[in-house]
Structure formats: C-alpha cells, structure tokens
Amino acid sequence: MTTERTLSIIKPDATARNVTGQIIAKLEGAGLRVVAQKRTRWSEEDAKTFYEVHKERPFYGDLVAFMTSGPIVMQVLEGENAVAKNREVMGATNPDDAAPGTIRAEFAESIERNSVHGSDSAENAANEIALCFAPSEIVG
Ligand code: CMP
C-alpha cells in the first residue's frame, strides 16, 4: 500500500445542483483526504489543454463546451492507492453502468454530465495535478 495523490474535478452539472458537499463527503467517506481545493471556471483554452488526450474523440467539442459552462471544483486527493480508490468511489464513466452507492450512480445525469473527473493513472495524476495547482497550494 502506498500513499498517492490524484486529481479530482467536480463538474459543472454538480456545482449547478449545489451537491459539492455531498460529493466531498463521499470522497472523505472512502478514506480520501482533500489536500488542495479550488473553485474556478475554466476558459476554453484551459479545458482544451486538460482534455488534449481526447482531442480526436467525437465528443471532444461537446466536452470542452460542457466543462466551460459553469464553475468546477478542482481537488487534490491523498490516500492509500488514491487513484484506484477515487475511481472506485466515482463509479463507471457512464452512470447507467455505475455501481450503486457510487458518486456517478447517485449524482451523474449522463455520460457527459457525469459529475466528477478522476485521474486514470498515477502518471496522469501527476501531470493533471501540476496543470491545476502550484506546489504551494497543496497542503497535506
Ligand atoms: P472524464 O473522466 O472527465 O474524462 C473524459 C470525459 O469525456 C468523460 O469523463 C466523460 O464525461 C466525457 N465523455 C463524453 N462522452 C463520452 C463517451 N462517449 N465516452 C467516454 N467519455 C465521454
């Protein structure tokens, strides 16, 4: 078991419905600690840079439009196996496939408006954290 950090984003569909606290409670309940947190609104350039790996996918334009449509809450989560643990508590990308009790099963509206993002590997977590936070903003 190793202590890891991962990047989490609470998406505009969730900030619009004022459920950020309920989502954070699920993350903390899973043993993850919020060691950095920032509520912001992305520019188009911010969203395109963050989701660059998806730029050839058919949903890229819609994803960028959605992620810039309202406020988001970016977080660094820390804990044992934080990358995998966060993905477990988030549930599957498509809420129709998400296990009962997961964040997406309870809050997501669709595969696009799916309430949360979580890094999918330790390597991507390090890159995403560096993109979203200065080292001095992360207080473990
Ligand atoms: P996220 O974990 O933020 O990473 C990429 C996002 O693209 C994903 O969550 C979904 O919200 C969004 N998306 C929209 N359509 C699709 C799709 N068909 N397949 C996968 N991801 C999709």
Side-chain angles (χ1 to χ4, degrees):
M1 297 286 254
T2 47
T3 300
E4 278 181 342
R5 287 177 173 173
T6 189
L7 188 89
S8 163
I9 301 176
I10 302 178
K11 297 186 179 186
D13 66 286
T15 59
R17 280 174 289 134
N18 202 28
V19 293
T20 60
Q22 292 179 65
I23 290 174
I24 293 165
K26 288 246 182 217
L27 298 171
E28 291 180 341
L32 294 161
R33 178 173 289 268
V34 180
V35 296
Q37 183 162 268
K38 200 187 301 187
R39 185 176 174 111
T40 189
R41 185 162 178 172
W42 271 349
S43 67
E44 192 179 324
E45 192 189 337
D46 292 331
K48 283 184 166 170
T49 303
F50 187 87
Y51 281 118
E52 198 174 0
V53 291
H54 294 306
K55 70 172 183 285
E56 306 302 337
R57 309 283 289 273
F59 56 80
Y60 180 67
D62 286 346
L63 177 61
V64 168
F66 167 57
M67 290 300 291
T68 56
S69 68
I72 58 171
V73 178
M74 305 188 297
Q75 303 165 313
V76 179
L77 306 176
E78 188 177 86
E80 298 288 333
N81 298 314
V83 172
K85 195 174 277 182
N86 184 38
R87 292 182 72 76
E88 197 181 316
V89 70
M90 285 194 305
T93 305
N94 187 339
D96 292 343
D97 302 328
T102 60
I103 292 169
R104 284 166 170 162
E106 289 195 13
F107 298 105
E109 297 176 333
S110 66
I111 193 166
E112 178 177 274
R113 301 174 65 84
N114 66 353
S115 302
V116 280
H117 165 82
S119 309
D120 63 4
S121 67
E123 187 187 349
N124 284 341
N127 292 335
E128 292 177 1
I129 289 169
L131 203 54
C132 297
F133 289 94
S136 62
E137 293 176 311
I138 304 169
V139 185

